Amino acid sequence: MKINQVIDLSHPLHPGREARTLEISQLDATQLTGAHEEEGWYIMHRVVMVNHLGTHLEVPYHILENGADLAQIPAKQYIGAAVILDLRGYGAREGIPLEAVQAAAEKAGGIEQGDLVFVMTGWSEYYGGDEYMSPPFLVREAVQWIVGHGIKVLGIDTSGAMDPDSPDRWNHLPIMEAGVVYIENLTNLASGPESRVMAAALPPAVEGLEGMPVRVVAFL
């Protein structure tokens, strides 16, 4: 496969300046590894962070006690054909109805089993500001319709896909109960000319962990 362009769909992280904890401190790697100081610059870092930070993904263990953690999700679930649903034009805290999602999916060529689905609201332009925390959202029926196609990943360019006035765990249930990986805070979804691309969002396989910041990329 020839790759002509790679589009980064993730926000960069800035230690000390994120809304949630992200702190790094430099360590002297020579003391940890036995390397000699005269060899030159050689460092490591200690990282302290909240794992739901920036562009991040969540797996079923987030809200299901017996759900799969990062180590139990196979790598192939994070990679595949991604369909981008253009649902721009909705306002703050406005519900995006099922009919609009179905129309966007039809325009994009349909949702197939095993797809990654990325929802583009255009709200990523407000990332880092107060307005970002009041995005439009998918109504429950729309989420259920999307995951009902047997998709592998559902991502969105906002801080949450579902009703902000509904309990947060309840909002995650239709996604996690279907075994779908969920990605929040995507960006640059309008950067490519295609509505169907190859994409990857690979986190480290950490046992006992339910989420992690992730670098999501699309290949054209």
Side-chain angles (χ1 to χ4, degrees):
M1 179 179 68
K2 181 180 179 181
I3 298 174
N4 295 315
Q5 185 179 2
V6 177
I7 299 175
D8 193 340
L9 305 181
S10 314
H11 291 281
L13 296 175
H14 305 283
R17 292 189 282 133
E18 296 293 332
R20 293 174 174 169
T21 301
L22 175 60
E23 301 171 358
I24 63 174
S25 54
Q26 186 175 308
L27 302 174
D28 184 353
T30 60
Q31 295 181 3
L32 295 173
T33 65
H36 299 290
E37 291 185 5
E38 57 269 21
E39 293 180 21
W41 182 263
Y42 186 39
I43 65 169
M44 296 181 181
H45 282 84
R46 176 180 288 111
V47 181
V48 178
M49 64 184 293
V50 175
N51 61 337
H52 293 240
L53 178 72
T55 304
H56 67 276
L57 60 74
E58 303 166 358
V59 297
Y61 184 51
H62 179 37
I63 63 161
L64 300 173
E65 186 175 0
N66 296 315
D69 63 20
L70 290 177
Q72 294 171 318
I73 300 289
K76 65 181 180 180
Q77 183 162 346
Y78 301 115
I79 304 170
V83 57
I84 300 173
L85 305 185
D86 189 345
L87 291 160
R88 290 174 290 184
Y90 289 86
R93 303 178 77 87
E94 184 177 0
I96 302 173
L98 171 60
E99 295 77 12
V101 173
Q102 290 173 326
E106 182 177 0
K107 186 176 180 180
I111 300 173
E112 301 177 5
Q113 185 174 357
D115 274 350
L116 287 65
V117 176
F118 295 156
V119 176
M120 176 171 55
T121 68
W123 217 250
S124 63
E125 67 176 292
Y126 303 116
Y127 183 78
D130 293 339
E131 191 171 5
Y132 187 71
M133 300 312 294
S134 299
F137 62 93
L138 300 174
V139 300
R140 179 168 294 272
E141 294 77 15
V143 173
Q144 291 171 328
W145 183 80
I146 293 172
V147 301
H149 286 78
I151 66 171
K152 298 192 294 186
V153 173
L154 173 62
I156 192 166
D157 61 353
T158 71
S159 56
M162 303 267 298
D163 188 348
D165 294 322
S166 183
D168 194 51
R169 183 179 181 277
W170 179 247
N171 278 340
H172 285 73
L173 279 172
I175 303 170
M176 302 298 181
E177 287 183 332
V180 172
V181 171
Y182 177 38
I183 304 177
E184 295 178 335
N185 303 319
L186 291 170
T187 191
N188 296 328
L189 289 175
S191 295
E194 304 167 16
S195 58
R196 178 172 285 273
V197 298
M198 289 299 297
L202 286 161
V206 184
E207 184 178 350
L209 204 60
E210 83 300 330
M212 182 63 71
V214 67
R215 193 83 175 259
V216 187
V217 295
F219 307 100
L220 303 184

